[in-house]
Amino acid sequence: MRERRAFQNARRAREFEAFVAGAAGRLLHAATLLTAEPPNANPRARRLLTLALAHTYASWDRLRGEDPYDRARQQLAVRFARGAWHQYGALGRSRPAPSGAGSGSVAVLARLTPQERLVLVLRMYEGVAEEQTAALLGLPVERVRAICARAMTTLLHPPRGPAPTMAKVVPS
């Protein structure tokens, strides 16, 4: 009996290691997009991924035909939403820009609320259908559609800065 259990545990570990080898890079990128951290300095994203993978491993035997990537992505989204909810107050707009967010896409994503980033990453980067995104987040489909549209508008049409000041020409 012990040998059988040891064999099952070894098989489970091998399967999970193979899964992580194939999926961890994409999941880490998704987590980095969610946290709006720079790719080379993303401790929150790495912690988020570690927790999501730990949960996926814990439920590995119960997946039974379910895609482990979907489960890990779901855990990533749920953990991000839960953390953002507590940290930023109901995923609201009162979110300060993260420190170190000064370059490229990181700065662009940092302008979005955590909820907008979550919906955008699920819909546009991960390709999750509106209905699935809505079910995962516990929102109506129309709300997911509106959040995604607002996020895309923010990304495509960033707010303009103040108009440049013109030097006054003093007649002599």
Side-chain angles (χ1 to χ4, degrees):
M1 189 60 122
R2 283 186 184 160
E3 291 174 11
R4 181 177 178 201
R5 187 66 158 152
F7 177 76
Q8 287 174 337
N9 287 340
R11 180 188 50 80
R12 176 183 186 203
R14 281 192 311 274
E15 288 175 355
F16 185 74
E17 286 173 13
F19 163 71
V20 170
R26 184 172 172 99
L27 287 168
L28 178 59
H29 187 68
T32 302
L33 292 173
L34 288 172
T35 60
E37 294 175 305
N40 56 352
N42 54 2
R44 287 180 47 224
R46 289 178 183 277
R47 177 156 173 72
L48 196 60
L49 176 61
T50 300
L51 293 171
L53 288 175
H55 186 275
T56 303
Y57 182 72
S59 61
W60 192 258
D61 291 335
R62 294 184 305 270
L63 290 177
R64 300 210 197 324
E66 190 179 334
D67 185 5
Y69 186 86
D70 286 342
R71 176 66 65 94
R73 179 180 55 216
Q74 178 182 10
Q75 277 302 307
L76 197 66
V78 166
R79 288 183 180 277
F80 174 76
R82 199 175 296 147
W85 183 276
H86 291 298
Q87 189 171 1
Y88 302 114
L91 293 175
R93 284 218 169 259
S94 61
R95 184 191 184 288
S99 60
S103 66
S105 64
V106 173
V108 171
L109 289 173
R111 288 195 309 249
L112 301 176
T113 66
Q115 186 180 49
E116 289 170 341
R117 276 199 314 272
L118 179 56
V119 169
L120 199 67
V121 168
L122 288 173
R123 292 281 299 120
M124 300 300 155
Y125 179 72
E126 288 292 322
V128 178
E130 283 179 342
E131 295 79 14
Q132 289 176 303
T133 301
L136 177 63
L137 301 178
L139 298 171
V141 174
E142 297 78 23
R143 180 79 177 125
V144 168
R145 191 174 297 131
I147 292 167
C148 191
R150 184 177 62 226
M152 289 300 294
T153 299
T154 301
L155 291 180
L156 295 174
H157 306 289
R160 294 184 181 191
T165 57
M166 306 269 300
K168 284 189 176 182
V169 177
V170 179
S172 38

